[in-house]
Amino acid sequence: MEVSLGAIPFDLDFHPSSPLVASGLINGDLHLYRYAAETQPERVFKINAHGEESCRAVRFADSGKIILTASPDCSILATDVETGKTVAHLENAHEEAINRLVNLTDTMIASGDDEGCIKVWDTRQHACCNSFDAHEDYVSDLTFMPDTMQILGTSGDGTLSVCSIKKNKVQSQSEFSEDELLSLVVMKNGKKVICGTQTGALLLYSWGHFKDCSDRFLGHPMSVDTVLKLDEDRLISGSYDGVIRLVGILPNKIIQPLAEHSEFPIERLAFSSDRQFIGSISHDQMLKLWDLEELLNTPQENNQEENEAVQADSDDDDDDDDEMDIDIGPPKSSGSKRKKSGNSGSSSISSFFDDL
């Protein structure tokens, strides 16, 4: 199943309970589609959410009643899912362009911007309750660890950060990598953080030992822009070469290619709420919905040539699990930079969240 969006998409998100998927585009548009198995997605609405600025980040919120979008215009917009109407607009949410949004709880979201700032928004307190100067360059990806109330972020400055909401501080930060970190996922029951990079390497960090990566897996020929955790041992990657791959972690191996966007860069991947489908968006301006079971059951072709090209530069091997046993409190398992300066003036934060 696929649909042409008419412009390059930057982000997508699935509704938490209904068969709906939203995508934000480079032209500032927000598209919402209804999908079903073996039928073409049906567009529910198309609106221009951010004028002439791009719509970089999209997330459903408030149990799926609204869609939040973020933009280089430094604002966060709330759109009603039923009507497509704007219900709230937080201007100057950041001082710089906003790149990423991530859901924390039913009443909390986090956002990351071009200058490395990560903010937490609490709809109950009607305010920004945490702000972290986590990085020196753009925030490329965010993920949330609910058991420890920590936000993990990656950045173009080559660092991985761990921000504690409870302690209101940047708890850990890796040393600067020579590579831009573009994506991340937590695996191995919370013991490993895997980061995709600009050069195509996957960097593996041991929880509690974030200063430097413990493994480097050089299995992708181009940048790894998005990753999804399939289970504790496998992830699904989307790369700049347009290929979606199934990847094994410890042991590190490209298991097989799953799908592609005809050599156009993969911008984002996401699971539907029931994990029946995986959505992908690409610079080919297409939104594609893949049946996950069908993808995984596709007969594995001979990947000998690709696996022979894989190089592993490991600082430790699989035995480093012994070292990880001494990590303090690992969380339980759960699951192109485009800069624009923004105004730094204050805004009516409470009016935004009151409307939510």
Side-chain angles (χ1 to χ4, degrees), residues 256 292-300:
Q256 68 182 96
L292 183 58
E293 184 177 358
E294 288 183 5
L295 282 185
L296 296 177
N297 289 336
T298 299
Q300 181 175 341

Side-chain angles (χ1 to χ4, degrees), residues 10-142:
F10 283 161
D11 201 6
L12 84 160
D13 193 35
F14 283 90
H15 192 279
S17 57
S18 299
L20 297 171
V21 59
S23 183
L25 311 184
I26 191 172
N27 60 5
D29 284 356
L30 169 66
H31 289 200
L32 180 66
Y33 293 90
R34 186 178 302 278
Y35 62 90
E38 300 181 358
T39 62
Q40 287 298 104
E42 176 187 0
R43 192 166 71 193
V44 178
F45 63 69
K46 166 187 172 182
I47 63 170
N48 182 257
H50 292 277
E52 296 181 358
E53 296 288 359
S54 59
C55 183
R56 290 190 185 177
V58 175
R59 285 295 178 272
F60 285 94
D62 194 15
S63 300
K65 296 177 182 177
I66 62 172
I67 305 172
L68 299 178
T69 55
S71 170
D73 65 12
C74 306
S75 76
I76 299 175
L77 184 77
T79 301
D80 186 274
V81 169
E82 293 293 332
T83 65
K85 302 295 185 182
T86 298
V87 295
H89 190 196
L90 175 58
E91 297 182 284
N92 302 318
H94 283 249
E95 296 184 2
E96 299 293 338
I98 305 173
N99 288 317
R100 301 294 294 147
L101 293 173
V102 65
N103 298 100
L104 306 184
T105 68
D106 288 340
T107 57
M108 298 175 69
I109 63 167
S111 52
D113 71 22
D114 258 356
E115 290 299 320
C117 178
I118 299 171
K119 290 187 177 184
V120 176
W121 306 93
D122 192 324
T123 60
R124 297 165 301 181
Q125 297 180 5
H126 301 169
C128 172
C129 56
N130 301 84
S131 183
F132 307 99
D133 292 324
H135 302 280
E136 296 182 5
D137 208 333
Y138 69 100
V139 175
S140 56
D141 203 4
L142 296 170

Side-chain angles (χ1 to χ4, degrees), residues 54-286:
S54 59
C55 183
R56 290 190 185 177
V58 175
R59 285 295 178 272
F60 285 94
D62 194 15
S63 300
K65 296 177 182 177
I66 62 172
I67 305 172
L68 299 178
T69 55
S71 170
D73 65 12
C74 306
S75 76
I76 299 175
L77 184 77
T79 301
D80 186 274
V81 169
E82 293 293 332
T83 65
K85 302 295 185 182
T86 298
V87 295
H89 190 196
L90 175 58
E91 297 182 284
N92 302 318
H94 283 249
E95 296 184 2
E96 299 293 338
I98 305 173
N99 288 317
R100 301 294 294 147
L101 293 173
V102 65
N103 298 100
L104 306 184
T105 68
D106 288 340
T107 57
M108 298 175 69
I109 63 167
S111 52
D113 71 22
D114 258 356
E115 290 299 320
C117 178
I118 299 171
K119 290 187 177 184
V120 176
W121 306 93
D122 192 324
T123 60
R124 297 165 301 181
Q125 297 180 5
H126 301 169
C128 172
C129 56
N130 301 84
S131 183
F132 307 99
D133 292 324
H135 302 280
E136 296 182 5
D137 208 333
Y138 69 100
V139 175
S140 56
D141 203 4
L142 296 170
T143 195
F144 178 58
M145 306 303 294
D147 296 311
T148 54
M149 294 297 288
Q150 292 170 309
I151 302 170
L152 277 67
T154 52
S155 172
D157 65 11
T159 63
L160 166 69
S161 67
V162 181
C163 301
S164 172
I165 296 176
K166 292 180 178 179
K167 297 181 180 180
N168 194 28
K169 70 175 185 178
V170 179
Q171 206 163 14
S172 300
Q173 188 175 46
S174 70
E175 296 178 351
F176 290 96
S177 169
E178 296 180 356
D179 214 347
E180 295 181 33
L181 304 189
L182 304 179
S183 53
L184 81 155
V185 69
V186 180
M187 299 177 63
K188 297 293 182 179
N189 298 305
K191 292 183 177 181
K192 284 290 184 180
V193 180
I194 294 85
C195 299
T197 68
Q198 182 69 34
T199 61
L202 292 179
L203 304 188
L204 281 66
Y205 293 85
S206 297
W207 191 272
H209 302 276
F210 292 113
K211 287 299 180 183
D212 197 5
C213 64
S214 58
D215 281 279
R216 292 174 58 90
F217 173 40
L218 309 183
H220 293 79
M222 303 181 77
S223 63
V224 182
D225 298 293
T226 178
V227 288
L228 290 179
K229 173 184 171 180
L230 180 62
D231 52 40
E232 298 303 335
D233 301 313
R234 297 176 298 170
L235 62 80
I236 298 174
S237 67
S239 177
Y240 195 85
D241 65 355
V243 179
I244 301 170
R245 293 176 173 87
L246 182 62
V247 182
I249 299 297
L250 294 178
N252 300 330
K253 180 181 180 181
I254 301 292
I255 299 174
Q256 68 182 96
L258 297 176
E260 65 177 29
H261 275 262
S262 302
E263 300 183 358
F264 287 89
I266 307 293
E267 189 71 29
R268 197 69 57 193
L269 299 172
F271 286 125
S272 61
S273 59
D274 58 5
R275 290 175 70 95
Q276 180 181 355
F277 297 102
I278 182 172
S280 61
I281 52 174
S282 170
H283 289 200
D284 62 2
Q285 304 182 12
M286 301 297 292

